[in-house]
Amino acid sequence: MEYFQLKNIPNVKYTRKYSDNIQYGTAGFRTKANALEHVLYRMGLLAVLRSKVKNAAIGLMITASHNIESDNGVKLIDPAGEMLEASWERIATNLVNVEDRNLVSTIKHIIKEENINMSVDAIVITGRDTRESSPTLLNAAVMGIKALYGIVQDFGIVTTPQLHYLVVCTNTKSNYGDPTLHGYYVKLSEAFKYVRQKQINNGQYVAELLLDAANGVGAIAVKEFQKYLGTTLAINIYNDGYGKLNFMCGADFVKVEQVPPVNFHVKRNFRSVSIDGDADRIVYFYVDEYEKFHILDGDKIATLIAEYLKELLKESHLSFQLGLVQTAYANGSSTDYILNVLQIPAVCVSTGIKHLHNKALEFDIGIYFEANGHGTVLFKETVIKTIKEAVTNPERSTNEKEAASKLLNIINMINQTVGDALSDMLLVETILHAKGWDIMEWEKMYDDLPNKQIKMKVYDKSIITTTNVGTQCITPEGLQDAIDEIVSQYKRGRCFVRPSGTEDIVRIYAECENLCDLDKLIKDVASVVY
Ligand code: NG1
Ligand code: ZN
């Protein structure tokens, strides 16, 4: 393409109206929705360039996940479902922040530097959450995509994991699944129903749960799932879209506040779940007969999955290298359990799904979960091939073949393209069903250390910089020493401070052996952050 065809760029409607710089952060660009139109237009342009470079379809998702309704955001999804490559995050940040008069020259520069063949067709697969601002932002992105002659395949309102799935299926030409929403629901629900077969309840396990959908897109997806699941799982949905998005509900609220969501009919000792605003996170919880709240978070989900996979591998006499990837927000007890009881390697990486996903790819079977409930399991192609062979191998015993067949169905139930609240829910339900467990039985796997997370507004969060997967402050000088001094006074104490990559706040996480010490520990640390 000759450069003169860039003459309609920038589009007058989408000029840069804000002078503040914005960063491609933990999950793309996120800020107040009304400051994002030019960002979406430019990300549309960039998605086309990325698609041409990779000669594959690229995803563009409009969401701000668990953030408040007035925020919004955008992220690009690479061809195999991964988050955008780090070097392109820098390109994106630069492109979004340049002056309008430098936009064309910046595009030309990217084309030259990345050696982009502009004659290659570009496909951008778009999706959005239920936020009021999302349609306007989608229009801006589409204008950007069309300005560089890209092809738009819009799937409308979808969950973030559904969009990852659609990108992967489009690029792998049906190897992973059918690139439609129907294909997504069929793939996951058929595998779920097959494992359960005719026996819907088992032991203490009852096939019914309460679900808080955060008033987000997850409510739409769950209702759709219900059609495919039939009577195999009864899901009672609360916060299904009529209330305010993520307001006192959803997985982030329940995990951080450690209380049930609003507008939720709590049933004592009853299995309940909360998903977040774009349905990529899930936590389980229940309230006991003494009104005590119990949370079973991403760590508990990861350990449950790891233990079950280990059992199935043993039963099928298959041997693969299992690994579990966490972040520093993982409860210390979960890491001890993984290392000492499950005897599986546990690796800690920086916050943000891309770090977990990339690390998990290093194992034959890599399980990754953030404590907030965002995670999935990745199986190497060679592993899947071996399991498939085991299912039909006449030299194997019936037991071995059955275990291998269960493994295969579990693989089909998992959205390997990214953490997916609904796929994770089907997986947890399958495991609890297989074990005949209720939620109390599952909780007994290990006891969480008392823990707390708070958000702090500071004048400028960029003053705090960190190292060692976000657990040690480098600046401001002296801050880490002060934190270490406080933490050393608490038994099994651990506390760290890092600036959020998705909100204009600083996060403080603390855990220690005694619940009665926890508030003091976190308050003392908060007082030195000011
Ligand atoms: P930040 O805001 O950078 O802490 C949060 C979550 C991440 C990840 C992203 C994207 C915590 C402590 N942090 O990132 O794990 O999920 O949002 O949604 O939960
Ligand atoms: Zn989310």
Side-chain angles (χ1 to χ4, degrees), residues 208-210 236 267-272 285-287 439:
E208 185 181 354
L209 52 80
L210 312 178
N236 307 300
K267 266 189 180 172
R268 303 282 161 253
N269 298 332
F270 205 84
R271 218 166 57 256
S272 309
F285 65 91
Y286 73 96
V287 177
I439 192 161

Side-chain angles (χ1 to χ4, degrees), residues 25-28 30 64-67 75 83 252 255-256 276 278 280-281 327 329 350-353 356 370-374 453 461 496 498-505 507 509:
T26 321
R30 263 192 215 177
S65 180
H66 58 281
N67 291 30
K75 66 174 182 180
M83 300 293 180
D252 194 64
K255 164 73 178 148
V256 174
D276 75 335
D278 62 341
D280 57 5
R281 293 187 191 179
T327 71
Y329 292 97
S350 297
T351 295
I353 223 62
L356 290 107
E370 295 184 308
N372 60 32
H374 195 180
Q453 205 197 114
K461 69 172 180 177
F496 60 91
R498 60 173 275 283
S500 159
T502 58
E503 292 174 71
D504 194 17
I505 47 127
R507 295 191 200 282
Y509 173 84

Side-chain angles (χ1 to χ4, degrees), residues 84-377:
L84 182 66
E85 190 183 302
S87 62
W88 275 67
E89 288 186 1
R90 287 189 289 277
I91 294 174
T93 299
N94 181 42
L95 183 72
V96 158
N97 291 309
V98 293
E99 303 278 336
D100 287 305
R101 61 188 154 83
N102 295 330
L103 188 55
V104 168
S105 60
T106 307
I107 293 169
K108 285 180 185 174
H109 182 75
I110 299 170
I111 294 170
K112 187 159 169 257
E113 284 292 299
E114 300 297 320
N115 202 8
I116 300 176
N117 177 355
M118 292 302 281
S119 64
V120 170
D121 281 343
I123 300 175
V124 184
I125 301 178
T126 56
R128 60 185 166 94
D129 70 12
T130 53
R131 284 177 162 80
E132 221 181 289
S133 55
S134 292
T136 310
L137 294 177
L138 176 68
N139 283 340
V142 168
M143 290 309 286
I145 297 166
K146 292 199 169 153
L148 279 181
Y149 309 96
I151 299 161
V152 181
Q153 283 180 9
D154 182 40
F155 280 88
I157 297 177
V158 288
T159 70
T160 298
Q162 283 175 337
L163 197 74
H164 283 254
Y165 168 92
L166 292 164
V167 170
V168 172
C169 294
T170 303
N171 286 320
T172 53
K173 303 276 176 284
S174 291
N175 216 348
Y176 189 69
D178 187 21
T180 60
L181 286 177
H182 173 68
Y184 166 88
Y185 291 115
V186 168
K187 183 175 188 222
L188 273 57
S189 60
E190 286 304 312
F192 176 78
K193 287 192 289 192
Y194 182 83
V195 180
R196 186 159 293 221
Q197 300 213 335
K198 289 200 170 54
Q199 191 191 12
I200 289 178
N201 297 324
N202 183 29
Q204 297 301 308
Y205 177 84
V206 179
E208 185 181 354
L209 52 80
L210 312 178
L211 184 142
D212 154 36
N215 290 313
V217 55
I220 298 169
V222 173
K223 284 177 191 166
E224 205 52 39
F225 250 125
Q226 283 176 317
K227 297 180 195 159
Y228 291 84
L229 293 172
T231 53
T232 47
L233 181 65
I235 309 170
N236 307 300
I237 313 176
Y238 298 89
N239 295 315
D240 68 344
Y242 291 98
K244 221 168 153 185
L245 177 72
N246 296 327
F247 181 69
M248 296 179 78
C249 60
D252 194 64
F253 171 82
V254 169
K255 164 73 178 148
V256 174
E257 302 300 325
Q258 307 199 12
V259 291
V262 291
N263 304 323
F264 192 83
H265 186 80
V266 172
K267 266 189 180 172
R268 303 282 161 253
N269 298 332
F270 205 84
R271 218 166 57 256
S272 309
V273 303
S274 257
I275 61 176
D276 75 335
D278 62 341
D280 57 5
R281 293 187 191 179
I282 182 163
V283 293
Y284 276 72
F285 65 91
Y286 73 96
V287 177
D288 69 20
E289 60 272 37
Y290 307 106
E291 300 286 325
K292 187 170 179 270
F293 176 81
H294 300 249
I295 186 144
L296 290 87
D297 60 6
D299 305 335
K300 271 263 155 67
I301 295 173
T303 44
L304 178 76
I305 297 172
E307 184 172 274
Y308 188 62
L309 289 178
K310 207 180 155 185
E311 281 166 18
L312 283 184
L313 288 176
K314 198 171 162 207
E315 277 174 43
S316 55
H317 280 104
L318 289 168
S319 158
F320 300 118
Q321 179 205 23
L322 271 172
L324 215 153
V325 187
Q326 304 184 300
T327 71
Y329 292 97
N331 196 279
S333 286
S334 73
T335 314
D336 290 348
Y337 185 84
I338 297 158
L339 293 172
N340 304 327
V341 181
L342 297 180
Q343 304 200 323
I344 292 174
V347 193
C348 183
V349 299
S350 297
T351 295
I353 223 62
K354 63 182 173 217
H355 302 293
L356 290 107
H357 194 98
N358 288 344
K359 194 73 200 171
L361 284 169
E362 292 177 13
F363 297 96
D364 288 342
I365 303 177
I367 303 158
Y368 71 81
F369 264 88
E370 295 184 308
N372 60 32
H374 195 180
T376 188
V377 189

